[in-house]
Amino acid sequence: MPRARKWFKTGLATVHAAALLLVCGCAWAWAQDGGPPDPATKPVKIPAVEKIVNPERKVLSWDSGLNKSHVIPALEIPAFLFLLNRYDRAVYPSLMENGKRVYSTSFSNFRDHALHGPWGVDQDAFAMNQFNHPYGGTVYHGFARSAGLNYWEALAYDNLGSLAWELGGETTSPSYNDQISTGIGGSFFGEVLFRMANLVLEGDGSEPGLWRKVGAGLLSPAAAVNRYAFGARFKPLFPSNDPALSWRFSLGESLHSDLNDQGHRSTIARNEVSADYSLSYGLPGKTGYTYDRPFDYFHFEFTTHGNRSNPVDNIMIRGLLLGTDYELGDTYQGIWGLYGGYDFISPNIFRVSSTSVSLGTTFRARFSEAVVLQGSVLGGVGYAAAGNVAQVGERDYHYGVAPQGLVAFRLLFGNRAMFDVTGRRYTISGNGGDDPGGRESINRLNLGLTVRIFRSQALGLQYIASSRDAVYPGRSGTRQTVGTVALVYSMIGDTGFGVVK
């Protein structure tokens, strides 16, 4: 049975990836064929859909919402869930839990779960619950947003899609941790991917070519499906309104790592390669840019490294949900309000993930034409998972309500150099989880110095330190730390380090 569960978790963890590859194959195919045809030259022929959904080949207007569709994503999301359930049923026909086949669901399961529950915290692996489920939420979000729905409407679809799976996708009891990570975390993650896909397609304003279509399809597969299936109707791009951007792609090689795992200290001198991408979208200070829509400002980071057993080091997202801009004189501009956040952090010896809402501000202070300080200060609460400690059931991590905070600063010296520091703290309580009385404190510090050497090429040094202290009733306390120094080569965007003019 343990072997069956291991294969189950591994296989289910690949379902969304398989769906992604399938959609990307479709995206590649339509890109090679010239993309969605112009209706004036070669209409897309999907007779059943064209007659019922789009008889006059109407075109979506993002500004007015004209010709958006609530019906199309309301059909696509259940269809996706049905196919996912059928796939799991075919691949894992004998998987049992509590005497029931996990994927042999029927309408009686939906009724029983809806009326009786019971809701709880499930036992799936960390990556399944904290990455795969939020990524599944991005699929629901992509279907809804690409059909013309605004963020708040898409958020409702995300949560209804997650609820449908919890009630009818499996015979096991529904879990509120999945509802939060999929319905809410998936909406934050999905909105960032949707915006980034639109940026890729938008490019310099020219018609997107092969690689831009493929790139956008990889970022938001569900949106690519709608653009292809419905042709001209959903072809108009979501208007970005020309945000101030700062992006960086980096390749790093660790030079030295110090680990302390519950008193066992070690030093690792091996060279481990990592790749990192970060994007700041809608930086404050640009004249005429407004923050009327959720995620008109967001910050995204993704890091992967050469550890095959733990390839994703982090995914970190924060975006302005509700707020406005402000300024203090001619040298200080900012935004403030309610932020949504999704974090997935998994260094070598422990991990933490959180879906959160926070109050805070993001600002720009200009000391001179050449020296600018950018920063964010946030404080809020999330629902988080963290481990490793003594195993609970089949899991080696814990859930709880988590007050958390972030302080991030970047000191820019024109387009020549940047010093950045970011500190994060998560305090995970036993409330709302499965281990009352427990507590975890997790800190993460990033320090970096980057110097541009030629055009968009830069070199830098980076130091990342993470620590975790955990105390649970009846168990000895846990202390874990890891610190890594890395040499980094970076490519930076044409705005340099993000000095907003």
Side-chain angles (χ1 to χ4, degrees):
M1 190 64 183
R3 182 180 295 273
R5 293 186 187 278
K6 180 178 179 181
W7 281 106
F8 158 62
K9 293 174 181 177
T10 303
L12 189 56
T14 65
V15 168
H16 294 309
L20 173 61
L21 290 174
L22 177 62
V23 173
C24 290
C26 295
W28 179 273
W30 62 251
Q32 288 184 316
D33 196 36
D38 190 310
T41 59
K42 184 183 177 184
V44 177
K45 294 182 179 180
I46 310 175
V49 174
E50 288 294 320
K51 291 179 181 178
I52 298 173
V53 179
N54 197 18
E56 300 178 6
R57 298 193 60 79
K58 297 177 181 178
V59 176
L60 168 68
S61 169
W62 282 104
D63 292 330
S64 66
L66 184 66
N67 296 322
K68 70 181 182 180
S69 177
H70 291 88
V71 174
I72 290 172
L75 297 175
E76 290 174 323
I77 294 171
F80 173 77
L81 295 176
F82 175 79
L83 292 174
L84 180 60
N85 172 268
R86 290 291 156 171
Y87 171 86
D88 290 335
R89 187 179 297 196
V91 175
Y92 310 106
S94 60
L95 183 67
M96 305 285 290
E97 190 164 330
N98 298 325
K100 299 179 181 179
R101 297 182 188 276
V102 172
Y103 296 111
S104 295
T105 56
S106 64
F107 284 109
S108 63
N109 296 112
F110 196 101
R111 181 197 62 220
D112 292 343
H113 288 161
L115 295 177
H116 307 295
W119 285 76
V121 177
D122 72 16
Q123 301 296 320
D124 285 341
F126 184 84
M128 171 63 70
N129 278 345
Q130 300 308 122
F131 175 75
N132 285 43
H133 280 291
Y135 184 76
T138 72
V139 176
Y140 315 153
H141 197 81
F143 281 134
R145 287 292 269 141
S146 60
L149 304 190
N150 65 34
Y151 172 81
W152 300 111
E153 292 171 320
L155 174 64
Y157 278 67
D158 300 339
N159 280 277
L160 289 172
S162 177
L163 180 63
W165 179 265
E166 291 303 311
L167 298 181
E170 303 174 1
T171 59
T172 54
S173 297
S175 56
Y176 52 79
N177 58 289
D178 288 344
Q179 184 67 35
I180 293 171
S181 64
T182 307
I184 301 176
S187 77
F188 299 158
F189 196 179
E191 183 67 13
V192 166
L193 294 181
F194 175 74
R195 296 271 188 137
M196 291 169 65
N198 271 267
L199 275 182
V200 171
L201 291 172
E202 192 175 56
D204 58 0
S206 62
E207 185 70 16
L210 168 64
W211 293 112
R212 281 161 58 190
K213 292 173 183 176
V214 171
L218 289 169
L219 287 167
S220 186
V225 167
N226 273 352
R227 286 176 58 82
Y228 173 68
F230 296 94
R233 180 171 186 180
F234 296 144
K235 187 176 181 180
L237 297 179
F238 178 79
S240 67
N241 296 337
D242 195 22
L245 303 172
S246 175
W247 64 266
R248 177 173 53 171
F249 174 74
S250 303
L251 293 174
E253 185 174 23
S254 62
L255 305 177
H256 182 88
S257 294
D258 290 316
L259 287 84
N260 179 2
D261 191 358
Q262 303 184 58
H264 301 287
R265 297 181 179 273
S266 61
T267 298
I268 301 175
R270 69 170 182 243
N271 297 328
E272 185 175 82
V273 177
S274 64
D276 172 88
Y277 177 79
S278 66
L279 171 68
S280 294
Y281 177 110
L283 288 165
K286 183 168 184 176
T287 303
Y289 186 78
T290 59
Y291 300 88
D292 302 323
R293 307 166 301 182
F295 284 79
D296 274 339
Y297 164 81
F298 70 79
H299 182 80
F300 170 81
E301 295 179 48
F302 170 77
T303 304
T304 182
H305 47 61
N307 187 335
R308 288 181 293 178
S309 63
N310 184 38
V312 178
D313 183 85
N314 65 74
I315 301 170
M316 294 178 283
I317 293 167
R318 60 181 183 271
L320 185 67
L321 289 171
L322 292 168
T324 188
D325 55 344
Y326 65 93
E327 60 180 45
L328 302 174
D330 296 330
T331 60
Y332 186 99
Q333 294 83 29
I335 56 176
W336 74 276
L338 182 69
Y339 290 69
Y342 165 69
D343 294 336
F344 177 96
I345 301 173
S346 183
N348 290 329
I349 56 177
F350 63 87
R351 52 267 178 99
V352 61
S353 178
S354 175
T355 297
S356 63
V357 290
S358 302
L359 290 173
T361 183
T362 299
F363 63 88
R364 179 195 78 158
R366 181 166 52 86
F367 301 121
S368 69
E369 289 297 326
V371 181
V372 175
L373 177 68
Q374 295 175 345
S376 290
V377 179
L378 306 178
V381 62
Y383 190 68
N388 281 316
V389 295
Q391 192 157 319
V392 178
E394 298 175 30
R395 280 197 282 101
D396 58 356
Y397 62 96
H398 298 259
Y399 279 104
V401 176
Q404 59 189 68
L406 173 142
V407 176
F409 296 111
R410 296 195 299 184
L411 187 60
L412 312 178
F413 299 92
N415 288 328
R416 178 55 58 186
M418 175 180 71
F419 174 75
D420 62 282
V421 54
T422 301
R424 290 177 167 85
R425 180 176 175 86
Y426 308 85
T427 303
I428 303 173
S429 69
N431 299 321
D434 53 5
D435 203 351
R439 185 185 75 255
E440 301 206 15
S441 297
I442 294 175
N443 301 293
R444 186 173 174 94
L445 175 68
N446 291 61
L447 294 172
L449 176 64
T450 306
V451 178
R452 187 168 65 89
I453 53 175
F454 179 71
R455 294 185 178 178
S456 62
Q457 321 298 312
L459 290 176
L461 281 174
Q462 186 178 68
Y463 175 70
I464 301 176
S466 304
S467 68
R468 171 176 173 267
D469 293 278
V471 177
Y472 288 93
R475 304 169 195 160
S476 58
T478 298
R479 171 70 174 171
Q480 296 171 300
T481 64
V482 56
T484 301
V485 177
L487 179 65
V488 178
Y489 161 79
S490 299
M491 293 183 62
I492 56 179
D494 56 10
T495 58
F497 294 112
V499 177
V500 181
K501 301 297 183 182

